[in-house]
Amino acid sequence: MDAVRVALLREVLAGTEWLRDTRRFAGALRGSVGAHGGGLLLLGTAEYEPWHLAAHLDEEAARSGRPGLHPTLVRHRVPPGAPAHLASGLDRLTGAGRGRTLLVVAPQGGPPPGEALLERVDDVRRGGATVLALDGGTPDGGAGATGGDARELRTLAHEVLSAPASAGLDLDTVQHLVSAAAGEDVPPGRRFRDRLSRLAARLTAPPPEPW
């Protein structure tokens, strides 16, 4: 991580509503998997696989002693010979209902989720699962990627976090921050500099094996 990114994180995180929203979203994720214990399903779009988030959630699950954060990465296309932990296709969503948590990640600027995928997400929600959505925001900092399908995804989700693209945060950075916040409860008295130092260390660390 370079000094510009550290300075940006300091500016963005210190005393902002976005920090509050990120911690709220991470808390909703932590609370859902902790309360239901039915497993966390992580889903991207046909063009974007959130494997980096999967890796860091897996790391946080082990580090924090919260096994519910261990994700199953649901893939639109499973290549031949994929290892078991990367071999779950869209059929994994079939029948996923009460007790499950589905986290959908959709980047800004890419194709929207699509009607077929939205129908699957709707089925999961109707089955009783908790649905969360993390998207890449808009170029002007608005609420998420443009397009009717993107708006529909946010409507289906119980909790939504849109990355503040206007602040210079990319979706990968936001995923680091969410995974770090999901794995720990920060005591109110902890100094901001200490929190930033922990986040910076996580951002510079490579994704854990075998992702």
Side-chain angles (χ1 to χ4, degrees), residues 13 64 163:
L13 294 177
S64 66

Side-chain angles (χ1 to χ4, degrees), residues 152-167:
E152 180 65 18
L153 173 60
R154 294 193 296 274
T155 300
L156 290 173
H158 295 92
E159 294 285 347
V160 179
L161 179 65
S162 293
S166 62

Side-chain angles (χ1 to χ4, degrees), residues 5 22 29 33 36 45 47 50 52 54 62 79 82 84 92 94 112-113 132 138 149 173 187 198 200 204:
R5 179 59 61 86
T22 300
L29 173 60
V33 299
H36 303 312
T45 65
E47 289 75 23
H52 205 169
R92 188 64 181 266
T94 303
L132 297 93
T138 61
D149 287 347
T173 300
R198 291 174 64 87
T204 56

Side-chain angles (χ1 to χ4, degrees), residues 29-30 32-34 37-41 57 61 65-72 101:
L29 173 60
R30 181 174 61 244
S32 177
V33 299
L40 172 60
L41 301 174
L57 283 172
R66 293 187 172 98
L69 288 174
H70 172 74
T72 296
T101 301

Side-chain angles (χ1 to χ4, degrees), residues 35-148:
H36 303 312
L40 172 60
L41 301 174
L42 181 60
L43 174 67
T45 65
E47 289 75 23
Y48 179 82
E49 288 189 333
W51 63 268
H52 205 169
L53 178 58
H56 284 282
L57 283 172
D58 191 55
E59 183 183 53
E60 286 299 326
R63 186 199 62 80
S64 66
R66 293 187 172 98
L69 288 174
H70 172 74
T72 296
L73 181 62
V74 179
R75 311 179 72 181
H76 291 252
R77 293 176 296 275
V78 179
H85 72 292
L86 295 176
S88 295
L90 290 174
D91 289 346
R92 188 64 181 266
L93 299 178
T94 303
R98 189 170 304 279
R100 290 281 188 177
T101 301
L102 174 63
L103 173 55
V104 185
V105 182
Q108 187 274 327
E115 184 176 351
L117 182 60
L118 290 174
E119 289 178 356
R120 287 181 177 269
V121 174
D122 186 41
D123 288 343
V124 171
R125 173 167 175 147
R126 287 177 181 273
T130 300
V131 178
L132 297 93
L134 174 61
D135 67 40
T138 61
D140 61 358
T146 57

